[in-house]
């Protein structure tokens, strides 16, 4: 049962638990959930809390939109060094999502623009509704991505496509973003949060060490040479099989107490 949502960060974030899944809501609908530094700090506090009491988490937006990106009114008033420090704050916070201890799913409705797309890119699975749209209008604003997008988004869709989005400012549909590799699932309007929560529940049932290894080993291996990556894989695989939870799960499978992998549903 989902607990009544609590608010954090002067109401900028809502937080609740649905069993082993934490639901974290961006709660600034009048501004399309545009992110300020104060907003990002509150998000970091919610992520830290989820890590201590949940096994997976869902990130979603209140209102019609997931997140319209950077609060430009705040950003335009920042001195140079404050802007640098603000960008690094976003980097640290988003890294606690991407390379933390529990998997995150983003439920994307409406706009995932600029910093909103950077935030979604830090989650491990992205579920977008049919009507969701994505954009990187930094070129038209005279700015540059500062929330990790040059690394995370470029890895998802490639630097050429990311550059296209930044140079032209064009919006990209959910179906095109799925085809590009930036979205994991496209679902009917009104169903993203439910589907994201369903996926998070499934991941929450995994062995904790395996989830941790997937979040932290895979991206590091991707940055290694093939030889170093294979050696690291051998170490992580061996560690995973040594955990008591893995031993029990393998025993359950061998003794036919665990479900076998099935073909995907044709429907």
């Amino acid at each position: 049962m989902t607990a009544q949502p609590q608010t954090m960060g002067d109401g900028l974030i809502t937080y609740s638990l649905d069993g082993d899944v934490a639901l974290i809501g961006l709660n600034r609908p009048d501004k399309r959930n545009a992110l300020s530094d104060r907003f990002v700090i509150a998000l970091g506090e919610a992520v830290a809390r989820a890590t201590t009491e949940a096994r997976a988490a869902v990130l979603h937006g209140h209102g019609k939109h997931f997140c319209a990106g950077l609060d430009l009114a705040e950003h335009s008033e920042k001195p140079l060094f404050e802007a640098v420090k603000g960008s690094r704050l976003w980097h640290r916070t988003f890294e606690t999502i991407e390379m933390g201890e529990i998997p995150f799913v983003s439920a994307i409705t409406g706009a995932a623009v600029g910093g909103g797309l950077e935030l979604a890119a830090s989650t491990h699975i992205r579920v977008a509704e049919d009507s969701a749209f994505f954009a990187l209008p930094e070129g038209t604003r005279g700015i540059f991505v500062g929330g990790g997008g040059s690394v995370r988004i470029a890895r998802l869709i490639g630097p050429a496509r990311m550059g296209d989005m930044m140079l032209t400012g064009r919006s990209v549909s959910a179906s095109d973003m799925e085809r590009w590799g930036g979205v994991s699932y496209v679902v009917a309007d009104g169903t993203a949060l439910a589907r994201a929560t369903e996926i998070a529940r499934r991941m929450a049932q995994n062995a904790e060490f395996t989830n941790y290894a997937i979040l932290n080993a895979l991206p590091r291996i991707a940055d290694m040479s093939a030889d170093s990556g294979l050696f690291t894989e051998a170490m992580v695989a061996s560690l995973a099989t040594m955990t008591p939870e893995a031993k029990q799960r393998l025993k359950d499978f061998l003794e036919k107490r665990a479900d076998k992998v099935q073909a995907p549903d044709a429907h």
Side-chain angles (χ1 to χ4, degrees):
M1 180 178 294
T2 307
Q4 188 67 25
Q6 302 173 359
T7 59
M8 303 175 67
D10 296 327
L12 290 171
I13 295 290
T14 63
Y15 183 95
S16 62
L17 275 179
D18 181 354
D20 287 331
V21 175
L23 302 175
I24 300 174
L26 308 177
N27 192 32
R28 200 186 183 193
D30 56 317
K31 295 290 186 180
R32 302 206 305 176
N33 296 320
L35 295 171
S36 62
D37 287 352
R38 190 164 59 93
F39 206 153
V40 171
I41 290 169
L43 174 61
E45 293 170 352
V47 170
R49 178 174 173 183
T51 300
T52 66
E53 60 186 22
R55 294 184 62 145
V58 174
L59 191 60
H60 66 97
H62 288 284
K64 296 181 179 179
H65 300 282
F66 176 70
C67 178
L70 175 67
D71 186 334
L72 292 174
E74 176 190 274
H75 184 74
S76 64
E77 300 298 323
K78 281 185 177 179
L80 174 60
F81 191 35
E82 291 303 311
V84 171
K85 291 192 288 185
S87 177
R88 295 300 284 160
L89 166 68
W90 287 44
H91 292 165
R92 290 192 301 273
T93 302
F94 292 3
E95 186 173 9
T96 64
I97 297 172
E98 182 188 27
M99 303 185 83
E101 297 179 19
I102 62 173
F104 275 76
V105 187
S106 49
I108 302 171
T109 55
V113 172
L117 180 50
E118 291 182 287
L119 174 57
S122 73
T123 64
H124 307 98
I125 293 178
R126 287 157 295 283
V127 178
E129 294 188 352
D130 281 321
S131 61
F133 60 96
F134 305 81
L136 295 169
E138 283 76 6
T140 64
R141 306 281 190 261
I143 57 177
F144 195 78
V145 290
S150 60
V151 173
R152 295 190 183 96
I153 298 173
R155 282 178 175 170
L156 288 173
I157 67 174
R161 282 185 168 131
M162 181 178 180
D164 176 345
M165 292 178 69
M166 292 180 71
L167 288 167
T168 65
R170 70 183 176 114
S171 294
V172 177
S173 68
S175 59
D176 280 345
M177 188 57 74
E178 181 188 32
R179 181 169 55 85
W180 289 1
V183 162
S184 314
Y185 302 84
V186 177
V187 298
D189 287 352
T191 66
L193 181 56
R195 183 64 180 278
T197 304
E198 174 192 342
I199 292 168
R201 285 198 196 101
R202 188 182 310 163
M203 296 190 299
Q205 296 172 11
N206 294 343
E208 287 183 276
F209 183 89
T210 299
N211 275 350
Y212 181 79
I214 292 167
L215 306 189
N216 289 275
L218 277 182
R220 288 179 168 89
I221 290 171
D223 286 335
M224 296 177 181
S225 67
D227 185 61
S228 296
L230 292 172
F231 179 80
T232 302
E233 177 187 274
M235 295 298 102
V236 175
S238 299
L239 287 169
T241 57
M242 291 299 105
T243 64
E245 189 170 8
K247 290 179 182 296
Q248 184 60 53
R249 286 172 182 248
L250 291 171
K251 182 179 180 182
D252 289 343
F253 179 79
L254 293 172
E255 296 178 359
K256 304 186 184 306
R257 292 192 297 271
D259 294 334
K260 291 183 178 181
V261 175
Q262 303 293 329
D265 187 343
H267 304 292

